[in-house]
Amino acid sequence: MWRGTLGRLASRLLTPSGDAVSSDRAKSIPGWRRFLESRFDRKFLQKIQALPTRQNEYGYDPFGFHRDEAIAGIYLAHLMYQYYFRAEVFGQQYVPQGRALLVSNHSGQLPFDGLIIGASMLFAKDPPRVVRSMVDHFVPSLPFVGTTLTRWGQIIGTPENCRHLLNDDETIVVFPEGARGVSKPFSKRYQLQEFGMGFMRLALETNTPVVPVAVIGAEEQAPCFNVKPLARLMGLPAFPLMPFPPFFPALPLPTKYRVYFGEAMHFSGDPDQDDEELRPAVTQVRNTIQSMIHLGLKARKHVFW
Amino acid sequence: MKERIVITGIAGRLGRLLAKRLHRSGNREIIGIDRRPFEDKPADVVHKRVDIRSKRTRDVFRTQPISALVHLGLMHDPKRSNRTHNQWNVVGTQQLLEYCMHFRVPKVIVVSSAAVYGPRPENPQFLTEDSPLLAAQDDLGALSLVEADMLASSFFWKYREGETVILRPVHILGQVANAASNYLRMERIPVLMGYDPMMQVIHEADVVDAVLLALKPGVRGIYNVAGPGEVPISVLIRESGRPTFPIPHLAAPLVSKLFWNLGLAPFRGTELNHLRYVCTVDDSRARKELGFRATRTIKEAVRAALDDTY
């Protein structure tokens, strides 16, 4: 099993799978991009180049997403999706045309679930779709990282940005559990934490269908326990430690990912109503995701394959 | 009756462009207020070489009925102290607005800047006119500009019988002597290593177009004025054809201070956050209500900044 995966990975890395770049384009693009583009087959590249984005004459969309520069991100996502987490995707046909809000469980200390949801919309859906996910406010202040994520289509997590993108019929993935979800300890795996209300207000305001997503596998990728005193001392929401080297959740375990997309849910109502009045709709989404998680857990035979 | 329009800061690049456009279109009398000399002034433009804070500025409003004030004379000059900026921008603007209220000027246009929102990592990609003005948070030099804008906003609510328009254009490129144009005119352009935020620029002539639209009767309100689109700074620099030199962002404040002290840089380095974070605006209100649309491309705007006639 392992040798097979590694062997495939090695052969994939070493042999180009066809000359996917036409000669006149080849001259104007930098070498690293030409190399990465040669890793993908021509059909997939054509689909990527046909993605509907609102790019200007310089190739940038208003948020700084650059389809050609994103190939590095797509390549990384492909490696993780295909070879590291060996993701399986179910129900991708439920993601509707036009605007959509993908609402998922969040876990695993590092947000690889977002990456794999994005990857599954690129590699398992035809035609592929770009999923925009949100990054934290501090990310733009990191050199290189902030700019690179912007080029790959990530946005700063503000309601204004989401509204703007949804009104332009884009797809956004949101994790209503937020930091509570991603940093929860191993003992709470597959137990959804409390949901925020923001995504429901956005959905109501922009009349966007909500697609429930359950990610199975991410919750075991970094088995951590929470050192509460240290977290309190440092003012962090959690201080996760792993009971084995490297102790800090730096690299996830290669669990097998299964991504389930559910049927789109439509809501209507006043986006400005009180939290209490929105709660039934939010709970409905949360319960749907929880039951999808249960079904997914029942269906799988092993954490790693 | 002849329209009589007062323009402050008329000897600046934008003022001269605006004066030329206005006086060409007929039945108007243009009165300019500026301490600086106004070279190749059209003969029928009146130029008062006075300080906007002096009593003689008041006389301009007192002696004749004024149909509009276009306040272009906000100061943003790194060579002058914060104290001078405050005196000029805050006290000067406040007095001008007082004259307008007292002598019932029916139209007041203040050309502020989109920089008053301030570049910040938390900014939404498109700031609307309702966003808080936080530029002074990291750059005290911008405080007087923020305050002048706020004075104008509160004037907009206080003075309801007249029409107040506040324009907040994005970085203006052209033969203007502002930070953005000066930046692109540098021989080697400093960039911050690993940062390349999206930026909006606008051609100086497009700003003049926006002012002309704001002069139309019935227009009032606060408007973001954006250019043809948003691109990363690296694209602007590539269009300028200049070489760059990257500086690590942690060293940048020191380096830029050093260069400023040696007289090698056109700015102090207090505005470095513009090279790090977005400060791009949503101009849909100006498109809808003013009918404004920038007609010059990004390439043309960058060219205009590099033209050697300045």
Side-chain angles (χ1 to χ4, degrees):
Chain A
M1 168 82 216
W2 264 107
R3 202 175 300 157
T5 303
L6 286 177
R8 253 180 296 153
L9 178 62
S11 67
R12 186 90 177 137
L13 280 169
L14 293 174
T15 55
S17 63
D19 176 30
V21 187
S22 64
S23 57
D24 55 324
R25 259 191 93 231
K27 278 173 211 141
S28 62
I29 63 174
W32 63 268
R33 234 162 70 194
R34 216 175 318 153
F35 172 77
L36 289 179
E37 286 184 2
S38 70
R39 308 281 105 193
F40 293 102
D41 63 302
R42 188 191 296 259
K43 263 212 191 104
F44 178 73
L45 274 184
Q46 277 166 354
K47 281 184 204 158
I48 293 291
Q49 266 142 25
L51 285 174
T53 61
R54 295 163 303 133
Q55 53 178 9
N56 57 20
E57 70 263 40
Y58 298 99
Y60 296 92
D61 94 334
F63 284 82
F65 171 52
H66 193 287
R67 208 166 42 196
D68 297 334
E69 285 182 29
I71 195 76
I74 295 173
Y75 184 61
L76 180 74
H78 185 70
L79 291 181
M80 299 307 280
Y81 171 87
Q82 190 88 47
Y83 301 106
Y84 197 80
F85 293 123
R86 296 143 289 128
E88 270 185 78
V89 183
F90 307 91
Q92 61 269 46
Q93 71 277 10
Y94 290 132
V95 179
Q97 290 292 314
R99 62 186 71 171
L101 207 53
L102 310 180
V103 177
S104 167
N105 57 326
H106 203 17
S107 60
Q109 311 304 335
L110 294 169
F112 281 100
D113 40 4
L115 180 78
I116 298 302
I117 292 172
S120 60
M121 284 287 97
L122 278 175
F123 307 120
K125 198 161 167 66
D126 196 22
R129 299 195 62 164
V130 175
V131 176
R132 320 291 292 254
S133 60
M134 284 170 282
V135 299
D136 215 320
H137 296 311
F138 70 85
V139 172
S141 52
L142 305 173
F144 300 102
V145 178
T147 304
T148 308
L149 290 179
T150 305
R151 294 289 169 275
W152 295 357
Q154 312 305 298
I155 53 171
I156 313 302
T158 71
E160 292 93 337
N161 284 348
C162 294
R163 211 173 293 136
H164 199 278
L165 284 167
L166 289 175
N167 283 329
D168 286 326
D169 285 338
E170 302 234 20
T171 312
I172 299 183
V173 57
V174 292
F175 300 103
E177 292 172 273
R180 289 186 298 274
V182 76
S183 61
K184 71 188 166 195
F186 191 62
S187 56
K188 293 212 173 121
R189 62 192 180 281
Y190 299 114
Q191 296 168 22
L192 286 179
Q193 303 299 299
E194 201 186 317
F195 268 34
M197 301 280 165
F199 82 94
M200 187 53 72
R201 291 188 201 283
L202 267 175
L204 293 177
E205 207 179 321
T206 56
N207 197 17
T208 307
V210 171
V211 179
V213 184
V215 179
I216 311 287
E219 312 242 358
E220 287 103 350
Q221 74 183 15
C224 285
F225 54 90
N226 187 8
V227 190
K228 269 186 192 151
L230 269 179
R232 213 173 304 134
L233 194 69
M234 298 176 74
L236 297 171
F239 195 91
L241 274 185
M242 297 204 287
F244 50 85
F247 301 109
F248 287 100
L251 192 72
L253 299 175
T255 53
K256 185 172 174 71
Y257 266 51
R258 291 168 178 83
V259 185
Y260 293 87
F261 291 92
E263 265 175 81
M265 305 163 84
H266 298 264
F267 296 96
S268 59
D270 176 15
D272 290 328
Q273 53 196 331
D274 282 347
D275 276 4
E276 279 317 306
E277 285 163 68
L278 279 176
R279 203 173 294 279
V282 173
T283 310
Q284 193 189 336
V285 176
R286 186 169 179 265
N287 290 347
T288 309
I289 296 172
Q290 189 71 67
S291 60
M292 283 163 66
I293 289 175
H294 287 320
L295 288 176
L297 284 176
K298 221 174 261 176
R300 80 167 175 185
K301 297 197 178 66
H302 198 279
V303 176
F304 287 101
W305 51 82
Chain B
M1 198 194 88
K2 233 180 172 182
E3 264 189 279
R4 201 172 279 127
I5 300 176
V6 174
I7 303 175
T8 63
I10 198 167
R13 172 68 182 169
L14 278 181
R16 279 177 296 164
L17 282 178
L18 180 64
K20 279 174 195 160
R21 286 282 290 281
L22 277 174
H23 102 107
R24 240 182 265 148
S25 49
N27 197 23
R28 284 187 179 124
E29 190 183 329
I30 313 291
I31 304 168
I33 300 179
D34 204 317
R35 294 191 296 192
R36 299 168 288 184
F38 186 172
E39 287 149 27
D40 52 270
K41 174 176 79 71
D44 49 347
V45 171
V46 182
H47 179 204
K48 309 260 186 199
R49 281 192 74 169
V50 294
D51 192 311
I52 55 169
R53 292 163 296 176
S54 78
K55 271 278 176 293
R56 285 168 61 204
T57 300
R58 187 173 187 273
D59 293 343
V60 174
F61 289 84
R62 188 175 54 84
T63 50
Q64 56 211 332
I66 303 293
S67 47
L69 163 76
V70 182
H71 185 26
L72 290 175
L74 289 177
M75 177 192 282
H76 192 45
D77 181 353
K79 288 196 196 81
R80 291 175 194 272
S81 68
N82 283 350
R83 190 188 159 77
T84 319
H85 274 89
N86 270 319
Q87 278 292 317
W88 188 266
N89 292 338
V90 182
V91 179
T93 303
Q94 198 209 357
Q95 284 183 356
L96 276 174
L97 295 176
E98 236 170 64
Y99 305 151
C100 288
M101 176 120 56
H102 193 253
F103 298 108
R104 306 264 155 236
V105 178
K107 182 81 153 191
V108 179
I109 298 175
V110 178
V111 180
S112 176
S113 152
V116 290
Y117 300 117
R120 299 184 317 134
E122 308 88 333
N123 272 350
Q125 197 77 17
F126 295 98
L127 294 150
T128 60
E129 285 84 353
D130 307 322
S131 309
L133 312 183
L134 298 173
Q137 185 173 275
D138 298 308
D139 173 16
L140 271 183
L143 185 60
S144 68
L145 297 175
V146 170
E147 239 176 287
D149 188 296
M150 285 181 166
L151 278 174
S153 314
S154 71
F155 181 76
F156 168 80
W157 291 108
K158 257 195 304 200
Y159 182 54
R160 295 307 283 176
E161 58 259 58
E163 290 166 354
T164 310
V165 184
I166 302 166
L167 298 177
R168 292 184 186 149
V170 296
H171 298 293
I172 303 171
L173 291 187
Q175 292 167 42
V176 286
N178 62 2
S181 300
N182 286 343
Y183 176 68
L184 286 177
R185 283 189 209 112
M186 290 174 79
E187 288 301 316
R188 291 184 78 85
I189 300 182
V191 293
L192 296 183
M193 231 181 251
Y195 293 97
D196 194 9
M198 299 300 276
M199 194 173 258
Q200 291 166 324
V201 294
I202 188 168
H203 192 286
E204 53 187 7
D206 278 327
V207 180
V208 174
D209 286 347
V211 175
L212 293 178
L213 285 171
L215 272 170
K216 282 190 184 158
V219 174
R220 66 196 315 167
I222 306 173
Y223 297 99
N224 289 336
V225 179
E230 37 287 315
V231 288
I233 294 181
S234 59
V235 168
L236 296 175
I237 296 175
R238 212 181 310 144
E239 286 290 355
S240 79
R242 306 273 164 115
T244 60
F245 69 95
I247 310 172
H249 72 279
L250 292 173
L254 258 174
V255 172
S256 57
K257 202 169 173 190
L258 183 74
F259 275 47
W260 166 261
N261 289 342
L262 292 173
L264 294 172
F267 36 76
R268 243 177 228 280
T270 52
E271 290 155 326
L272 282 171
N273 273 354
H274 278 285
L275 306 181
R276 274 181 93 179
Y277 305 127
V278 286
C279 183
T280 46
V281 297
D282 177 356
D283 67 335
S284 50
R285 194 190 282 178
R287 283 166 189 265
K288 217 180 294 158
E289 292 177 19
L290 281 183
F292 173 77
R293 195 165 210 125
T295 52
R296 282 85 176 174
T297 61
I298 291 168
K299 202 184 281 263
E300 285 171 311
V302 175
R303 280 292 128 72
L306 297 179
D307 266 352
D308 235 10
T309 41
Y310 180 72

